[in-house]
């Protein structure tokens, strides 16, 4: 924004631009295929506003930034939509698990043993989730929400790396499936809490 040159951006226009871009991008990627028009508009609002807020908040307030609407709406990389999409993906997995076993989809046939072997990426997810409180405390001490934004991105990235390498619903044993569902559920909860602190909504599906 260059007020001296008269190129001031109207906030309402910018927000509408982001919502329109979110709608267009989601339509082109096929994410709206089985949704009503009302649901499409609502998710576009959530994604568009999330993209705008996240792009601004992920940068330390003491640093300069160049806002790029196209970059901010990308569903890959350090963006709000990437985090929102991962949350929606986890919620979809949990709904499928519930449909497969409606009584208690996250409980295995036998209890999870405290000495059950875990993969390095499962351990990494647990460790990353344990850092949430420290990230929030540090953000408060620094008066900088960027710490929370970047924590959410790092957790999201760790989950996607885990999900790429390990099947959740197609796990080899009921015990593995239960463990991974518990991990996924808690990752989603942590993402939602972190994004909520930034004033960003996360959709249940995309």
């Amino acid at each position: 924004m260059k007020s001296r040159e008269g190129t001031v951006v109207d906030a309402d226009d910018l927000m509408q631009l982001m919502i329109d871009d979110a709608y267009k991008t989601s339509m082109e990627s096929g994410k709206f295929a089985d949704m009503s028009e009302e649901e499409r508009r609502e998710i576009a609002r959530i994604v568009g506003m999330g993209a705008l807020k996240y792009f601004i908040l992920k940068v330390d307030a003491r640093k300069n930034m160049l806002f790029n609407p196209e970059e901010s709406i990308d569903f890959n990389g350090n963006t709000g939509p990437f985090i929102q999409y991962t949350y929606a993906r986890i919620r979809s997995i949990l709904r499928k698990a519930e449909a497969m076993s409606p009584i208690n989809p996250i409980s295995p046939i036998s209890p999870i043993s405290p000495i059950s072997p875990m993969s390095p990426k499962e351990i990494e997810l647990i460790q990353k989730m344990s850092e949430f409180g420290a990230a929030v405390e540090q953000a408060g001490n620094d008066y900088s929400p960027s710490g929370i934004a970047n924590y959410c991105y790092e957790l999201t990235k760790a989950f996607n790396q885990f999900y790429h390498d390990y099947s959740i619903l197609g796990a080899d044993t009921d015990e593995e499936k239960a463990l991974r569902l518990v991990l996924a559920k808690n990752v989603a909860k942590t993402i939602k809490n972190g994004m909520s602190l930034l004033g960003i909504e996360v959709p249940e599906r995309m």
Side-chain angles (χ1 to χ4, degrees):
M1 294 181 287
K2 300 179 181 179
S3 58
R4 292 181 180 177
E5 297 179 12
T7 55
V8 176
V9 178
D10 183 85
D12 291 329
D13 291 342
L14 178 58
M15 288 188 288
Q16 190 59 53
L17 171 66
M18 296 304 302
I19 293 170
D20 292 344
D21 282 353
Y23 184 93
K24 179 182 177 182
T25 301
S26 297
M27 285 292 286
E28 291 174 348
S29 64
K31 290 182 172 61
F32 282 168
D34 60 341
M35 298 181 187
S36 67
E37 183 61 20
E38 182 180 2
E39 188 174 9
R40 291 173 182 172
R41 293 294 177 185
E42 175 61 9
I43 292 177
R45 181 193 65 79
I46 292 173
V47 173
M49 293 304 300
L52 176 59
K53 291 179 181 179
Y54 185 86
F55 197 95
I56 294 171
L57 294 175
K58 73 176 181 179
V59 180
D60 190 301
R62 293 164 292 191
K63 297 181 180 179
N64 293 327
M65 62 165 290
L66 179 63
F67 179 67
N68 184 328
E70 184 176 345
E71 181 182 336
S72 72
I73 212 74
D74 196 341
F75 283 92
N76 296 292
N78 190 2
T79 67
F82 172 66
I83 297 171
Q84 290 171 316
Y85 181 67
T86 298
Y87 174 84
R89 168 186 279 177
I90 296 173
R91 295 298 300 161
S92 175
I93 293 170
L94 295 176
R95 286 193 296 271
K96 289 177 182 177
E98 185 174 1
M100 293 166 64
S101 179
I103 295 177
N104 197 343
I106 295 180
S107 292
I109 292 175
S110 12
I112 298 174
S113 168
I115 57 173
S116 297
M118 289 189 289
S119 70
K121 283 189 170 61
E122 288 169 335
I123 294 172
E124 181 185 349
L125 268 182
I126 293 171
Q127 291 174 332
K128 181 57 68 175
M129 281 188 282
S130 73
E131 297 169 7
F132 178 58
V136 173
E137 182 178 8
Q138 190 62 52
N141 291 336
D142 295 342
Y143 297 100
S144 176
S146 62
I148 298 173
N150 287 290
Y151 168 83
C152 289
Y153 171 63
E154 291 298 327
L155 176 60
T156 300
K157 190 167 60 171
F159 175 81
N160 278 287
Q161 290 171 346
F162 159 75
Y163 187 63
H164 178 269
D165 293 342
Y166 298 95
S167 174
I168 296 178
L169 299 180
D172 294 334
T173 67
D174 288 327
E175 191 174 61
E176 286 181 345
K177 177 182 173 181
L179 172 62
R180 291 171 188 174
L181 283 170
V182 168
L183 285 175
K185 182 177 181 180
N186 282 282
V187 168
K189 180 180 178 180
T190 305
I191 289 174
K192 185 173 184 177
N193 288 341
M195 296 292 269
S196 178
L197 288 173
L198 301 175
I200 299 174
E201 298 172 79
V202 284
E204 288 298 305
R205 70 178 191 136
M206 285 175 67

